[in-house]
Amino acid sequence: MSLVVGQSLGLTLVGDGLSFRNSRNNAGKSKFFFVNRRRLARAALVQARPKEDDGAASSPSPLSRATTSAVVQYRRADLADDLQAEARALGRAVDASIYSPELIARKHGSQPLKALRRSLEILGALGGFALKLGIDQRQGKLEKNMKMRAGQLRRIFTRLGPTFVKLGQGLSTRPDLCPPDYLEELAELQDALPTFPDAEAFACIERELDLSLESIFSSVSPEPIAAASLGQVYKAQLRYSGQVVAVKVQRPGIEEAIGLDFYLIRGVGKLINKYVDFITTDVLTLIDEFACRVYQELNYVQEAQNARRFKKLYADKADVLVPDIFWDYTSRKVLTMDWVEGTKLNEQLAIESQGLKVLDLVNTGIQCSLRQLLEYGFFHADPHPGNLLATPDGKLAFLDFGMMSETPEEARFAIIGHVVHLVNRDYEAMARDYYALKFLSPDVDVTPIVPALRDFFDDALNYTVSELNFKTLVDGLGAVFYQYPFNVPAYYALILRSLTVLEGLALYADPNFKVLAASYPYFAKRLLTDPNPYLRDALIELLFKDGKFRWNRLENLLQQGSKDRDFSAKDALQPVLKLLLDPNGEELRLLVIKEAVRVSEAIALGTVVDTYNSLPEFLRSLVFNGNGNGPLTMSSTELQSTLELRDQVSRIWGLLQSSESFDPTILQPILQVLQQPEARRLGGRVAGGVGQRLAARFLQQLLRATTPSSSPIP
């Protein structure tokens, strides 16, 4: 029987072991390995999946029920084992260091000679750079040489080691601290640091896991396959299962070196806060915030937990891949996870040679980035092409979860509201949004900022959404931030950088690609479907202006929102109805009643006009008693406007019907809502309004039936 189950799973007995295809995330490639025969039953049950009922069988067989039950039990056992393994890993990281300015000051302040040597090394590199900047300023060449100096600073940071590589990468996301040329150059900083000896790496693995290397791995790559600022990565094969894994090992002495550097950098930060007036941001706070993130990155168990959380939130989409963690082989300085076979996202030719499209992968990255920023708020804080891989089966794999960040819930909704204000060109509201976004302290007057926003965005918004370049928008907004007392939160700067990187990658494949056009469907879907009160208010603000409903805006939102694969017509209808029937929604109901009367009248009059135009000429004269003006007396402009409104509403209904999730049954709960007393009163008011307008038009028609100046229906 075991053999039969094994065959159904694609398993084959070989000698004393079992050869089977590994279905875990291995970039679409089939991997084979051996396990002991005693693991056969468990492996078969864990891998088994009950077949989908094709409708021919009325109920599952006792065997399939037993198998399903066993699968559930083993899944639970696996989950329990996994939680226990994670707890053991946390135990191995119990002594992980936490950033404390007081502790590093106490430690490195007691080592003055060591601090002095490092200070001279840093001052020698950065002092020479500062001298060149001073000369440029005296000669009036600061702007002219900015690009060249930015490149020099990038190379200096690389030479100064891991702390400054990380610092440069952090500065590349701070438009409030650095001019655009520096942002662009520092964004190119890569972890191009020399490797450390393999013997030290292997000794670290054995020391951290308290196991011999041979008992963990059946093979390990003879040298690192990648070196980063904080560690280096080996490719290995687990002995117990044969699975191919990536093993990241921390650099020896890295914590000591980083602690000393931050001790010295904090000293400089204090001087800047005290004596440099043109930098309005609290530099010391930024340094502490950044140092805290770097220290978190030194704890590989924390990184493993980040990866698990990221996988749970975002790998629910079929085109996103996040490697899984092997907790029993993970500690504070060693991280073991699935090996991902893939190509860096900036290697376009290699990707396309596999039959994949870079733009598809970039689009996946954009949608995932938007979900990270605006849906769950937990996002990847180290966005560069080396951390994004295209797998052979077309998935986008995310790597390196050491630096993560979170968007506060209030800010998530404020960002969407900010986009609405941008579309409406409401620059006063945009300026006030910066309070909610924590860009400005409440005591800062936004009045002087409004003209700067108007000057920049009035020019930028002359382009359509599909034409507007995201990098240009970010750089222009960054220039505004740099000129005024903005303190850009790290989460906002990082996600903008991530989207800019993705747009830059896409431009190699398609020079006309624009990340804003790719992002708009997500924003439209959220505005139409999210029941959050803040977003419902933003939707009203977008659709109503001066007491009139902007049907073209709704049509555009539906067109864009329907491009998002998660768009649901049901979700788009329900929040609007709830908002309309809210006890506090009288003001909105008055606007809706007015608009509903207009639409109902347009549909009724449009039907009359269509009927009239479909009649033969002799019948028109006969039915309307020789009245050449037809059934209505309207100006050509009014008639055209009425018919356009009728046609626009018809198109909107067609868009709702074209939704993949559209089903007439979704109207059932809507009909139930309409049975509520408030809804019946609302319907009565609409019907009464329509009746009054049609009666007025009919009376007008009777009074003007013989007036020659009336305009006939075309």
Side-chain angles (χ1 to χ4, degrees):
M1 180 177 170
S2 295
L3 184 58
V4 173
V5 175
Q7 288 173 340
S8 71
L9 298 170
L11 310 182
T12 310
L13 287 171
V14 182
D16 292 330
L18 174 73
S19 171
F20 69 99
R21 188 173 293 107
N22 175 17
S23 65
R24 296 188 63 149
N25 298 336
N26 278 320
K29 291 192 174 182
S30 296
K31 302 286 184 184
F32 293 87
F33 52 85
F34 294 90
V35 297
N36 190 283
R37 185 190 292 271
R38 67 171 178 255
R39 289 195 247 271
L40 170 60
R42 178 178 176 130
L45 288 170
V46 171
Q47 293 291 325
R49 296 289 185 273
K51 291 185 177 180
E52 293 289 337
D53 189 352
D54 60 4
S58 60
S59 63
S61 67
L63 177 60
S64 68
R65 284 198 300 268
T67 302
T68 302
S69 176
V71 170
V72 171
Q73 291 175 18
Y74 272 101
R75 282 179 182 168
R76 288 175 179 169
D78 281 351
L79 178 59
D81 289 347
D82 192 66
L83 290 173
Q84 291 173 8
E86 182 179 357
R88 290 192 293 270
L90 284 168
R92 288 189 288 272
V94 71
D95 60 342
S97 297
I98 297 174
Y99 175 71
S100 166
E102 295 77 16
L103 287 178
I104 64 169
R106 193 178 307 134
K107 178 179 180 179
H108 297 289
S110 63
Q111 300 173 329
L113 290 179
K114 190 174 182 180
L116 179 61
R117 283 196 299 270
R118 181 59 173 166
S119 298
L120 292 175
E121 183 181 0
I122 295 170
L123 287 173
L126 295 180
F129 177 76
L131 181 61
K132 292 175 183 177
L133 286 181
I135 294 172
D136 286 345
Q137 188 171 23
R138 287 181 64 85
Q139 295 179 349
K141 297 181 179 179
L142 202 59
E143 293 290 330
K144 179 181 177 181
N145 293 342
M146 186 173 291
K147 184 72 175 176
M148 178 181 66
R149 299 301 181 211
Q152 291 173 353
L153 184 61
R154 175 177 58 82
R155 290 188 289 273
I156 289 170
F157 279 173
T158 301
R159 288 199 306 271
L160 287 175
T163 307
F164 286 86
V165 168
K166 288 294 179 186
L167 183 62
Q169 290 173 343
L171 285 172
S172 72
T173 66
R174 304 297 311 206
D176 52 337
L177 295 180
C178 296
D181 283 338
Y182 280 86
L183 294 176
E184 188 171 344
E185 193 66 36
L186 292 176
E188 299 297 319
L189 264 174
Q190 299 297 321
D191 298 324
L193 296 172
T195 61
F196 58 91
D198 299 323
E200 292 187 35
F202 297 152
C204 177
I205 294 173
E206 293 183 330
R207 185 171 58 252
E208 286 287 308
L209 303 179
D210 198 23
L211 293 167
S212 67
L213 203 66
E214 293 76 14
S215 67
I216 305 172
F217 307 114
S218 56
S219 66
V220 182
S221 58
E223 58 187 22
I225 50 91
S229 55
L230 303 184
Q232 57 195 37
V233 180
Y234 294 86
K235 184 178 182 180
Q237 189 174 37
L238 292 177
R239 182 169 292 282
Y240 88 95
S241 66
Q243 286 170 285
V244 180
V245 294
V247 185
K248 184 158 74 169
V249 187
Q250 198 170 105
R251 288 180 179 274
I254 187 70
E255 187 178 318
E256 178 82 9
I258 285 177
L260 175 59
D261 284 345
F262 276 120
Y263 167 68
L264 299 174
I265 292 170
R266 285 193 92 253
V268 176
K270 290 178 182 178
L271 294 176
I272 292 175
N273 275 354
K274 189 173 183 179
Y275 297 110
V276 181
D277 295 332
F278 67 87
I279 296 181
T280 56
T281 303
D282 185 346
V283 176
L284 204 58
T285 299
L286 288 179
I287 291 171
D288 286 340
E289 178 185 323
F290 184 71
C292 186
R293 294 185 187 281
V294 173
Y295 266 74
Q296 288 177 0
E297 197 173 357
L298 288 172
N299 183 358
Y300 285 175
V301 173
Q302 177 65 54
E303 179 175 348
Q305 290 182 310
N306 292 341
R308 269 292 175 87
R309 184 180 174 192
F310 193 90
K311 182 182 182 74
K312 180 181 178 181
L313 292 177
Y314 309 115
D316 57 328
K317 304 300 181 186
D319 46 12
V320 173
L321 174 65
V322 179
D324 210 354
I325 303 299
F326 293 88
W327 293 107
D328 279 330
Y329 307 114
T330 294
S331 73
R332 179 168 62 101
K333 296 184 179 181
V334 177
L335 174 61
T336 304
M337 61 173 60
D338 280 326
W339 176 263
V340 178
E341 202 71 53
T343 308
K344 289 184 179 181
L345 210 57
N346 58 352
E347 297 177 2
Q348 181 187 343
L349 295 178
I351 290 174
E352 293 180 348
S353 67
Q354 302 174 61
L356 304 176
K357 295 181 179 179
V358 172
L359 291 184
D360 290 343
L361 293 158
V362 168
N363 239 325
T364 298
I366 289 170
Q367 300 307 314
C368 189
S369 294
L370 292 171
R371 291 184 73 203
Q372 290 174 56
L373 174 66
L374 301 173
E375 205 162 319
Y376 296 107
F378 181 69
F379 67 90
H380 201 293
D382 192 12
H384 64 77
N387 288 337
L388 300 171
L389 296 184
T391 68
D393 58 350
K395 294 183 179 182
L396 180 64
F398 285 81
L399 305 177
D400 196 351
F401 302 93
M403 293 188 74
M404 308 296 289
S405 190
E406 296 203 41
T407 314
E409 185 177 26
E410 180 186 2
R412 292 179 228 162
F413 299 123
I415 290 170
I416 298 178
H418 196 59
V419 172
V420 171
H421 295 149
L422 174 61
V423 172
N424 286 343
R425 302 195 186 208
D426 187 348
Y427 302 120
E428 287 81 6
M430 281 184 70
R432 291 192 299 272
D433 288 338
Y434 295 129
Y435 294 135
L437 290 168
K438 309 298 183 186
F439 283 25
L440 296 171
S441 60
D443 59 334
V444 174
D445 181 16
V446 296
T447 305
I449 299 170
V450 173
L453 291 173
R454 180 179 291 110
D455 290 344
F456 172 69
F457 282 111
D458 273 348
D459 183 51
L461 293 177
N462 286 330
Y463 299 97
T464 65
V465 170
S466 60
E467 294 172 335
L468 188 59
N469 184 290
F470 188 75
K471 184 179 183 304
T472 302
L473 189 64
V474 172
D475 288 348
L477 197 56
V480 175
F481 290 166
Y482 186 66
Q483 294 171 12
Y484 293 93
F486 281 91
N487 182 18
V488 180
Y491 68 82
Y492 183 82
L494 288 167
I495 205 70
L496 288 184
R497 177 59 59 187
S498 176
L499 292 172
T500 304
V501 167
L502 288 167
E503 183 178 60
L505 292 170
L507 290 175
Y508 286 106
D510 179 6
N512 297 316
F513 181 88
K514 298 295 181 290
V515 74
L516 282 179
S519 303
Y520 196 48
Y522 177 87
F523 278 97
K525 181 201 72 173
R526 285 294 301 276
L527 279 171
L528 287 169
T529 62
D530 199 309
N532 179 272
Y534 187 97
L535 295 188
R536 290 196 310 218
D537 290 346
L539 178 62
I540 293 170
E541 189 177 343
L542 186 68
L543 296 180
F544 284 92
K545 184 179 183 181
D546 300 328
K548 291 186 178 180
F549 189 83
R550 294 186 279 191
W551 289 95
N552 61 319
R553 286 277 177 89
L554 178 59
E555 183 178 7
N556 184 255
L557 281 174
L558 284 168
Q559 286 175 339
Q560 294 296 328
S562 62
K563 294 177 183 178
D564 189 288
R565 62 188 174 191
D566 296 327
F567 175 78
S568 165
K570 178 180 179 180
D571 293 340
L573 291 171
Q574 290 285 8
V576 175
L577 276 171
K578 289 180 180 178
L579 181 65
L580 185 60
L581 302 177
D582 188 276
N584 299 319
E586 179 62 24
E587 185 178 350
L588 176 63
R589 280 194 290 274
L590 291 174
L591 293 174
V592 171
I593 288 170
K594 180 181 177 182
E595 200 59 37
V597 168
R598 281 187 64 229
V599 170
S600 300
E601 182 190 34
I603 293 173
L605 295 180
T607 302
V608 171
V609 170
D610 289 345
T611 303
Y612 175 80
N613 288 335
S614 67
L615 294 174
E617 187 67 36
F618 75 94
L619 280 180
R620 295 184 194 178
S621 178
L622 179 65
V623 171
F624 295 100
N625 299 319
N627 182 3
N629 294 332
L632 303 171
T633 303
M634 300 174 69
S635 69
S636 298
T637 303
E638 186 181 6
L639 178 62
Q640 183 180 0
S641 174
T642 299
L643 294 179
E644 284 179 355
L645 176 59
R646 189 270 312 264
D647 293 342
Q648 196 162 45
V649 172
S650 297
R651 288 196 301 271
I652 288 170
W653 178 244
L655 285 169
L656 287 172
Q657 288 181 303
S658 66
S659 168
E660 290 184 8
S661 60
F662 183 83
D663 186 325
T665 59
I666 70 171
L667 297 178
Q668 185 174 353
I670 296 174
L671 293 175
Q672 292 173 357
V673 171
L674 293 177
Q675 294 302 312
Q676 298 175 12
E678 181 61 37
R680 289 199 297 270
R681 286 194 293 271
L682 190 64
R685 291 163 74 179
V686 172
V690 174
Q692 290 174 10
R693 289 186 63 120
L694 289 177
R697 284 198 180 277
F698 180 70
L699 181 61
Q700 185 183 53
Q701 177 68 23
L702 290 177
L703 294 174
R704 296 186 180 182
T706 57
T707 303
S709 59
S710 300
S711 300
I713 294 175

